[in-house]
Amino acid sequence: MEKYYCIHTDCVSNTWGTVEVETYLNKISFLHEDGKGSFLSQTPFICISLVKITDFYGGWSLPRDYDSKETNYIDIIIEEQDIVMNEDLKAFLHEFERFLGFRLKNAL
């Protein structure tokens, strides 16, 4: 079963640099870039999408809202068993939270 998470800035006008986030994700050994602002791994299963949106609660779509300069919302889909069992995935998520300065949340 897949679980849906996100990390977003404290308000939609605050952003991270898209290039910096993509550079960080490209250094993760089990992830590969799967299109603009999209990163994927089959084992462990995780899908990450970077977007810049105007409303944290909907009205946006992937990949239409990808912005090559700024990102304020990161959509993350993880296989439930992988988040519990895979130590590399857990370590990555904690480091990613530290890198971004915000905590992972259940997606609305």
Side-chain angles (χ1 to χ4, degrees):
M1 172 184 259
E2 296 172 344
K3 297 286 246 180
Y4 295 83
Y5 298 94
C6 66
I7 297 177
H8 60 76
T9 57
D10 52 352
C11 69
V12 292
S13 62
N14 291 337
T15 61
W16 300 288
T18 301
V19 171
E20 288 83 4
V21 177
E22 289 173 331
T23 298
Y24 180 89
L25 293 173
N26 276 315
K27 293 178 182 176
I28 306 304
S29 63
F30 57 82
L31 288 176
H32 72 273
E33 201 162 354
D34 191 42
K36 292 182 178 182
S38 181
F39 295 82
L40 182 66
S41 171
Q42 292 298 326
T43 307
F45 179 79
I46 182 169
C47 179
I48 300 172
S49 300
L50 311 177
V51 292
K52 182 179 179 192
I53 57 178
T54 58
D55 180 359
F56 288 138
Y57 302 103
W60 50 274
S61 69
L62 306 170
R64 185 187 75 211
D65 291 313
Y66 170 78
D67 184 293
S68 63
K69 294 182 178 127
E70 298 179 319
T71 297
N72 62 4
Y73 188 95
I74 301 172
D75 184 60
I76 303 171
I77 303 169
I78 304 170
E79 182 67 38
E80 185 174 22
Q81 69 185 20
D82 288 339
I83 200 166
V84 172
M85 303 296 287
N86 190 293
E87 294 301 319
D88 290 338
L89 179 59
K90 287 194 272 189
F92 159 70
L93 292 171
H94 290 298
E95 289 300 317
F96 196 40
E97 287 176 326
R98 277 193 275 266
F99 172 75
L100 296 170
F102 289 89
R103 306 262 317 151
L104 189 70
K105 304 171 187 166
N106 288 319
L108 300 174

